[in-house]
Amino acid sequence: MGKQKILIVDDSEINRALLAEILEEQYEITEAENGSEAISLLSKRRSDFSLLLLDIIMPDMNGFELCTSIRQFSSVPIIFLSCY
């Protein structure tokens, strides 16, 4: 059995890289830099992901809006992230 897959959604490339580096030994990581990209990935591969790590503050669609959109077609667990 392969590694479980995590989708990291964050507009900060540094944050995505840091999270990926921490998690990549135990999980297969996919990254999205905004809500639109995340929705596209999830709509095509919705059963692939075991977890979604989601930034709250993003420019085109904030994390809460993205969560609402995702819940219309997926029940993947979501952990919200925020760094100030």
Side-chain angles (χ1 to χ4, degrees):
M1 185 173 167
K3 294 179 181 180
Q4 289 184 316
K5 297 174 180 129
I6 295 177
L7 175 59
I8 299 171
V9 185
D10 196 317
D11 59 315
S12 169
E13 185 176 351
I14 293 169
N15 289 349
R16 290 192 316 270
L18 179 62
L19 287 167
E21 185 176 323
I22 291 168
L23 298 168
E24 67 189 358
E25 279 189 42
Q26 294 183 325
Y27 301 94
E28 184 178 321
I29 303 300
T30 301
E31 299 178 24
E33 65 181 49
N34 59 51
S36 299
E37 188 177 345
I39 288 172
S40 177
L41 284 165
L42 284 166
S43 65
K44 293 175 189 168
R45 302 171 43 196
R46 77 179 63 168
S47 62
D48 282 0
F49 299 105
S50 300
L51 178 68
L52 177 62
L53 296 178
L54 178 58
D55 185 21
I56 295 173
I57 301 171
M58 294 185 289
D60 70 330
M61 180 186 303
N62 71 42
F64 298 115
E65 294 166 332
L66 177 56
C67 181
T68 300
S69 294
I70 290 168
R71 284 295 172 244
Q72 294 177 21
F73 63 88
S74 177
S75 61
V76 62
I78 295 172
I79 295 176
F80 285 101
L81 305 172
S82 185
C83 298
Y84 285 98

